[in-house]
Amino acid sequence: MNQEYDYIIAGAGAAGLSLAYKMLHPFFDDKRILVVDESLNPSHNKTWCFWDNKTPPFADLMYRQWNNAEVSISGKRIKSPLNEYTYYCLRSIDFQEQILRRLKKESRFDFLESTIEDLSVSYGIPILQTKSNSYQAEFIFQSCFSPWNSSTDQPDYPLLQHFLGWEVKTTKPVFDDAFFTLMDFDDTFDEGIAFIYLLPWSKTSALIEYTIFSDELLSREKYEEKISIYLNNRYNLKPIDYKITRTEFGEIPMKDRPHKPWYDTRILNIGTVGGVTKPSTGYTFSRIQKQTDQIIRDLQTDEKPNAHSPSKTRFKAYDLWLLQIIHDHPSEAYHVFNQLFKNNSMDAIFSFLAEESAITDDFKIMSSVPYTPFFRAIWQTKERLLEI
Ligand SMILES: Cc1cc2nc3c(=O)[nH]c(=O)nc-3n(C[C@H](O)[C@H](O)[C@H](O)COP(=O)(O)OP(=O)(O)OC[C@H]3O[C@@H](n4cnc5c(N)ncnc54)[C@H](O)[C@@H]3O)c2cc1C
């Protein structure tokens, strides 16, 4: 049986649910929208953070927020107030629970809990296939499948951001909950860039992640060993002093891959598979909001979504150069990070990484870090830049 919709949202994660939520706009009052995911059960498996200088999206769902950041590199701790930006954090379980509850009140939405086996186009009509049924729509927005490969898809710098985190409760108050730790670099690690990322929920609980930018995952024990050493060295916490209440594992692409907006005719890629992840940082959540806002605007004005690149060309170039340095010369990347954090305010860095900086600000940032790795990166990536 073929069931017809105006839109199908294939994948109800950060991107799919953000888009569905924005379709509560009156423009979509008379539309029929199907939301499909293999599981519509909210899960406490991702902690999404981002920074914003305005009221953040989903403001009432924020779990914590901070106005002070800390970075530690080469034994030096840099504590910075955030004057322009706030660092926000929301939990996937709260996001999914609240958004699904809201959407289920609206008759325009149908929900299907099923594995999507295939997405295809027949006679110009996009079709979603499950084991037992097929569904068609004017447009499908999909966050489940990577777009098809082509020769230019093979990354020159196949980096991953991979991490394992422990949420811990401690027997004594040790965390400074006014500061989150963006990066506490581990200069004993030489197969990539490694650091601790720490979000203090209170003085006695925190999420502590050992994070690496490299090609290869580590064994689970390795990440755990690093976290336990950190808790001991920094906070004098022995295993008896804390309880691990939850673990979180993640793997985010940081690759120099081309942005492919379309999976097929009338099937738009969204979220991570839509290439919106910022290649040099792995941050995706804010960029998903920009992408889904744009889709809503396009549907309202043109009745169809359009292809938009998530970044301006100059930011694509900066990302590519940094990926090249991290991938091919990790020890030089440490020097770049060192100078970056030493010579710039956290607000200036956040503005640059959010691609909100003016070109003059970009020059200030660039001139504050060692030049040689960048000159070499510019030379070595000149052909690749044309492909992505
Ligand atoms: C642990 C973790 C923490 C992260 N933290 C941050 C952060 O702090 N800040 C940030 O900016 N980014 C973060 N990211 C990166 C990014 O924001 C998240 O991965 C985000 O969830 C991406 O949203 P998405 O919708 O593209 O993918 P997902 O949220 O993964 O959604 C995809 C959905 O598709 C469904 N699906 C997949 N295949 C099928 C199928 N065949 N059939 C049916 N359903 C299917 C899945 O069940 C899932 O619900 C993090 C990623 C991870 C993994």
Side-chain angles (χ1 to χ4, degrees):
M1 190 178 59
N2 225 340
Q3 298 190 33
E4 291 178 26
Y5 285 88
D6 290 295
Y7 311 119
I8 295 175
I9 297 179
L17 287 184
S18 296
L19 182 63
Y21 185 79
K22 291 168 191 180
M23 287 183 173
L24 289 171
H25 187 282
F27 176 83
F28 300 93
D29 276 352
D30 60 352
K31 305 288 183 199
R32 290 198 67 218
I33 305 157
L34 176 66
V35 178
V36 190
D37 200 292
E38 55 201 0
S39 168
L40 291 168
N41 262 341
S43 52
H44 191 0
N45 61 354
K46 289 179 189 146
T47 309
W48 291 312
C49 291
F50 58 94
W51 55 93
D52 209 319
N53 54 6
K54 308 174 286 298
T55 307
F58 311 107
D60 48 347
L61 298 183
M62 292 308 139
Y63 183 60
R64 290 284 187 282
Q65 62 189 65
W66 295 270
N67 287 98
N68 297 289
E70 182 189 275
V71 167
S72 186
I73 189 160
S74 307
K76 193 172 175 328
R77 222 164 266 296
I78 305 167
K79 294 197 169 230
S80 317
L82 292 170
N83 298 315
E84 291 166 30
Y85 289 93
T86 299
Y87 197 72
Y88 294 99
C89 165
L90 83 164
R91 309 186 308 176
S92 56
I93 188 165
D94 300 333
F95 179 79
Q96 288 163 335
E97 243 168 38
Q98 298 295 326
I99 303 286
L100 283 169
R101 184 175 307 157
R102 179 71 185 83
L103 300 180
K104 282 179 180 169
K105 290 185 182 154
E106 299 285 329
S107 58
R108 75 191 75 174
F109 291 105
D110 281 348
F111 297 88
L112 174 69
E113 198 168 51
S114 180
T115 299
I116 301 162
E117 307 235 310
D118 192 29
L119 298 171
S120 59
V121 177
S122 174
Y123 299 103
I125 297 171
I127 296 172
L128 180 150
Q129 187 72 47
T130 63
K131 199 167 179 192
S132 53
N133 242 327
S134 59
Y135 303 83
Q136 67 183 55
E138 278 287 299
F139 294 101
I140 296 180
F141 301 96
Q142 78 88 18
S143 53
C144 301
F145 303 115
S146 288
W148 306 115
N149 287 338
S150 70
S151 59
T152 52
D153 280 356
Q154 298 314 314
D156 286 351
Y157 312 110
L159 282 168
L160 284 175
Q161 175 174 152
H162 45 107
F163 50 90
L164 187 136
W166 282 352
E167 210 161 67
V168 298
K169 272 199 188 315
T170 61
T171 52
K172 44 189 174 182
V174 289
F175 302 115
D176 181 351
D177 53 0
F179 283 82
F180 75 98
T181 303
L182 184 66
M183 296 171 122
D184 191 337
F185 287 91
D186 176 5
D187 47 23
T188 64
F189 189 84
D190 53 13
E191 290 153 46
I193 296 284
F195 56 90
I196 288 281
Y197 172 69
L198 190 148
L199 302 174
W201 304 143
S202 70
K203 292 190 174 13
T204 54
S205 69
L207 173 66
I208 303 124
E209 293 183 347
Y210 191 72
T211 306
I212 304 173
F213 301 165
S214 75
D215 298 13
E216 304 276 339
L217 302 186
L218 303 187
S219 68
R220 186 185 175 96
E221 295 74 44
K222 266 275 165 226
Y223 303 94
E224 298 198 315
E225 186 191 326
K226 292 285 190 181
I227 300 172
S228 121
I229 292 173
Y230 187 79
L231 289 174
N232 184 38
N233 290 354
R234 172 126 197 230
Y235 298 106
N236 196 21
L237 289 171
K238 312 282 178 258
I240 195 169
D241 301 320
Y242 56 87
K243 195 168 146 218
I244 303 162
T245 51
R246 192 178 69 85
T247 59
E248 178 166 323
F249 176 76
E251 201 186 314
I252 307 174
M254 295 176 70
K255 300 182 198 317
D256 55 315
R257 61 178 184 156
H259 172 236
K260 286 228 184 96
W262 297 100
Y263 184 82
D264 206 331
T265 327
R266 292 177 169 261
I267 304 179
L268 193 76
N269 301 317
I270 60 172
T272 301
V273 302
V276 302
T277 300
K278 169 101 173 149
S280 61
T281 65
Y283 280 93
T284 313
F285 192 83
S286 292
R287 292 161 68 97
I288 285 175
Q289 301 318 316
K290 288 190 181 137
Q291 186 193 32
T292 48
D293 286 344
Q294 186 64 56
I295 292 170
I296 296 294
R297 278 196 296 274
D298 286 348
L299 290 174
Q300 287 177 15
T301 48
D302 294 352
E303 297 276 333
K304 62 178 177 53
N306 299 307
H308 297 275
S309 170
S311 295
K312 290 189 185 136
T313 308
R314 73 177 204 274
F315 289 105
K316 284 191 198 168
Y318 307 155
D319 280 332
L320 183 61
W321 300 336
L322 199 55
L323 287 187
Q324 194 273 345
I325 299 168
I326 296 173
H327 186 267
D328 289 356
H329 307 281
S331 61
E332 292 182 14
Y334 271 112
H335 292 300
V336 170
F337 283 119
N338 194 342
Q339 297 300 309
L340 177 75
F341 289 115
K342 222 170 98 189
N343 298 330
N344 299 282
S345 71
M346 196 57 81
D347 285 312
I349 295 170
F350 275 173
S351 165
F352 177 69
L353 294 178
E355 307 185 358
E356 289 165 355
S357 50
I359 199 154
T360 45
D361 303 322
D362 300 352
F363 281 124
K364 273 189 218 150
I365 297 251
M366 295 289 188
S367 57
S368 73
V369 296
Y371 301 137
T372 323
F374 281 94
F375 285 137
R376 192 182 46 219
I378 292 168
W379 177 251
Q380 293 195 345
T381 59
K382 58 187 187 311
E383 279 149 25
R384 185 63 176 152
L385 188 56
L386 301 176
E387 292 171 347
I388 58 170

